[in-house]
């Protein structure tokens, strides 16, 4: 049985190895030892310190131990950056901690499980690049699920991934003029959308090859079935994350596909999400400019969900704005949302940008979209994402 007054703290000293780089491994280890002796141990003299490796410790204590509350309070104050000295040498250290408090974790049944939750909290702290994280009951399950998903992804092959398409219609005649391509992963448990696996794929560097496979499929479909379905001027949009855009070879890869399949590059829309931070003078920004130079259409997606759109319009070669569903949904009933969207439409008109309304689920908003000058619309009202064969069958 677990003593509910128990607390375990997993400590990673110099987690990003900055001290190792600055001082050398041996010196960094010595400075880490000084930190534990000078800073942590005096806070709670009766706490038990277990050294797990050169730069990792595990601290176990109970509410009866002196300094228990003080050590937890120190962690809450983000005890994370220190300069320590023994008189002859000193050094700066980063410190990350994961704290598991037994009283806050009703599902934890023994000390080993409490240690596991402390490790889970440390894992989250390192991932988020924060100095301290307190364990929650869901952390272990979530991290275990991510590990299982990562292993599952590494065992997948190209044929496990495909592209679904959602139509984009012209306003006001509702004629299909293009399709947004949306990656899907076919698993034994069913078909998964990117929300279920994209972050894990990015974390294990599988997004680039999976993404290239999807891009290749979309360009092939554009040259054949999409042209047959919606005409020779129909377009396909590709959702690219900041990590995908950081691939220095992406523009060359896409250029080769466009040439091989003989499609007009203007029919290839590159969608960049507004909440994906793309800084100037980075490889991602250079890729966006290179794709624009190829003749591709650059589109800011989910406008209204983040805070970067105006900077993107100013700094990147943007051609299209896709206004997020959160702004579109209340256009009929919300004067403030309509005012915001009207301001966006006026900016688009002044700068020569086209506009797409996302998330259309009923026809009551279509009149407002026409009034505000939207060029295109998409959403479940016009069709859910489906394999291209399904659209061809219709």
């Amino acid at each position: 049985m677990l003593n509910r007054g128990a607390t375990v703290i997993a400590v990673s000293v110099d987690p990003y190895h900055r001290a190792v780089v600055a001082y050398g491994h041996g010196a960094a280890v010595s400075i880490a030892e000084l930190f534990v002796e000078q800073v942590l141990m005096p806070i709670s003299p009766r706490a038990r310190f277990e050294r797990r490796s050169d730069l990792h410790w595990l601290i176990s204590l109970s509410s009866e131990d002196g300094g228990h509350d003080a050590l937890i309070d120190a962690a809450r104050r983000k005890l994370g950056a220190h300069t320590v000295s023994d008189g002859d040498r000193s050094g700066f250290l980063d410190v990350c901690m994961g704290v598991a408090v037994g009283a806050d974790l009703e599902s934890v049944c023994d000390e080993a499980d409490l240690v596991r939750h402390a490790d889970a909290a440390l894992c989250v702290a390192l991932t988020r690049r924060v100095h301290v994280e307190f364990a929650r009951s869901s952390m272990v399950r979530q991290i275990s699920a991510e590990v299982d998903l990562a292993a599952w992804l590494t065992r997948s092959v190209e044929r496990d991934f495909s592209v679904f398409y959602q139509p984009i219609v012209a306003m006001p005649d509702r004629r299909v003029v293009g399709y947004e391509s949306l990656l899907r992963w076919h698993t034994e448990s069913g078909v998964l959308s990117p929300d279920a696996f994209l972050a894990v794929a990015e974390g294990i560097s599988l997004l680039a090859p999976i993404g290239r496979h999807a891009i290749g499929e979309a360009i092939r479909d554009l040259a054949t079935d999409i042209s047959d379905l919606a005409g020779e001027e129909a377009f396909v949009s590709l959702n690219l994350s900041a990590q995908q855009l950081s691939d220095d070879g992406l523009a060359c890869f896409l250029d080769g596909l466009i040439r091989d399949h003989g499609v007009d590059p203007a029919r290839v829309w590159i969608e960049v999400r507004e909440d994906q931070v793309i800084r100037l003078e980075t490889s991602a920004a250079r890729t966006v400019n290179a794709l624009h130079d190829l003749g591709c259409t650059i589109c800011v997606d989910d406008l209204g969900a983040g805070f970067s759109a105006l900077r993107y319009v100013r700094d990147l070669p943007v051609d299209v704005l896709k206004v997020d569903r959160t702004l579109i949904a209340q256009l009929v009933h919300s004067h403030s949302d309509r005012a915001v969207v009207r301001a966006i439409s006026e900016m688009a008109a002044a700068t020569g940008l086209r506009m797409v309304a996302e998330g259309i689920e009923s026809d009551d908003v279509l009149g407002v979209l026409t009034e505000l000058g939207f060029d295109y619309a998409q959403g479940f009202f016009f069709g859910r994402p489906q394999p291209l064969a399904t659209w061809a069958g219709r």
Side-chain angles (χ1 to χ4, degrees):
M1 288 291 292
L2 177 70
N3 174 5
R4 289 296 159 189
T7 295
V8 173
I9 303 176
V11 181
S12 177
V13 182
D14 192 29
Y16 312 114
H17 280 216
R18 295 203 297 176
V20 168
V21 172
Y23 311 124
H25 182 268
V29 170
S30 296
I31 295 168
E33 292 169 346
L34 284 174
F35 164 74
V36 172
E37 294 170 3
Q38 292 181 3
V39 178
L40 294 183
M41 287 183 174
I43 295 175
S44 183
R46 294 174 60 187
R48 293 162 298 287
F49 284 75
E50 174 191 344
R51 188 166 190 170
R52 308 172 91 184
S53 65
D54 283 347
L55 297 168
H56 293 82
W57 278 261
L58 197 68
I59 308 172
S60 303
L61 63 164
S62 69
S63 56
E64 290 78 26
D65 294 327
H68 171 271
D69 293 337
L71 192 52
I72 295 177
D73 287 343
R76 289 189 188 280
R77 290 196 303 272
K78 303 187 177 181
L79 190 66
H82 298 273
T83 299
V84 294
S85 174
D86 66 353
D88 295 325
R89 67 185 190 281
S90 63
F92 172 83
L93 287 172
D94 295 304
V95 180
C96 280
M97 291 183 286
V99 184
V101 181
D104 297 337
L105 300 163
E106 294 182 1
S107 62
V108 174
C109 57
D110 56 34
E111 187 172 347
D113 200 18
L114 192 63
V115 170
R116 193 178 182 204
H117 278 73
D119 283 329
L122 177 59
C123 174
V124 173
L126 292 169
T127 302
R128 295 179 56 202
R129 296 186 73 88
V130 297
H131 294 311
V132 63
E133 190 74 41
F134 280 76
R136 298 185 302 277
S137 297
S138 60
M139 280 182 176
V140 170
R141 292 194 304 273
Q142 181 179 344
I143 293 170
S144 297
E146 289 174 356
V147 170
D148 291 342
L149 186 63
W152 200 359
L153 274 168
T154 59
R155 294 193 298 268
S156 297
V157 294
E158 280 191 353
R159 65 175 176 271
D160 295 329
F161 298 91
S162 71
V163 177
F164 281 23
Y165 294 92
Q166 185 174 35
I168 299 174
V169 305
M171 296 290 296
D173 62 6
R174 309 185 192 182
R175 175 175 48 91
V176 175
V177 292
Y179 291 89
E180 179 175 0
S181 63
L182 299 159
L183 181 65
R184 294 295 185 265
W185 181 22
H186 299 265
T187 73
E188 295 176 357
S189 301
V191 180
L192 302 182
S193 65
D195 289 345
F197 65 88
L198 205 60
V200 174
E202 284 187 328
I204 59 175
S205 300
L206 280 180
L207 183 57
I210 293 172
R212 284 196 175 201
H213 168 72
I215 291 169
E217 186 173 327
I219 299 301
R220 286 191 296 273
D221 288 341
L222 177 64
T224 54
D225 293 344
I226 289 177
S227 294
D228 294 339
L229 279 171
E232 293 295 328
E233 295 184 357
F235 59 84
V236 68
S237 67
L238 309 174
N239 291 279
L240 300 182
S241 71
Q243 186 180 91
Q244 288 176 284
L245 291 169
S246 295
D247 177 359
D248 290 331
L250 180 65
C252 183
F253 170 74
L254 195 50
D255 184 32
L257 285 172
I258 288 170
R259 291 176 184 274
D260 289 345
H261 292 282
V263 298
D264 180 355
R267 298 172 62 199
V268 179
W269 285 22
I270 305 299
E271 295 200 15
V272 181
R273 283 174 50 189
E274 185 193 355
D275 58 358
Q276 293 268 355
V277 178
I278 298 179
R279 297 183 176 86
L280 294 181
E281 307 303 327
T282 62
S283 56
R286 287 191 291 272
T287 298
V288 171
N289 281 284
L291 292 171
H292 182 265
D293 291 343
L294 287 179
C296 296
T297 299
I298 307 301
C299 174
V300 174
D301 191 16
D302 293 340
L303 191 148
F307 309 94
S308 306
L310 294 179
R311 184 178 60 79
Y312 278 3
V313 170
R314 183 193 67 186
D315 296 335
L316 295 177
V318 174
D319 304 294
V320 178
L321 301 177
K322 294 185 78 172
V323 180
D324 188 67
R325 65 185 69 242
T326 56
L327 287 175
I328 298 298
Q330 299 300 320
L331 271 184
V332 175
H333 306 291
S334 171
H335 294 295
S336 59
D337 282 5
R338 189 181 300 200
V340 171
V341 176
R342 187 180 299 278
I344 293 171
S345 67
E346 290 172 356
M347 176 193 69
T351 54
L353 302 179
R354 288 168 282 169
M355 292 198 304
V356 183
E358 294 186 291
I360 308 302
E361 297 187 359
S362 62
D363 63 358
D364 60 344
V365 74
L366 296 179
V368 180
L369 297 180
T370 301
E371 173 195 333
L372 292 174
F374 275 83
D375 303 280
Y376 310 103
Q378 72 177 105
F380 291 169
F381 180 71
F382 304 109
R384 293 175 180 269
Q386 301 280 357
L388 198 57
T390 302
W391 294 114
R394 292 180 179 179

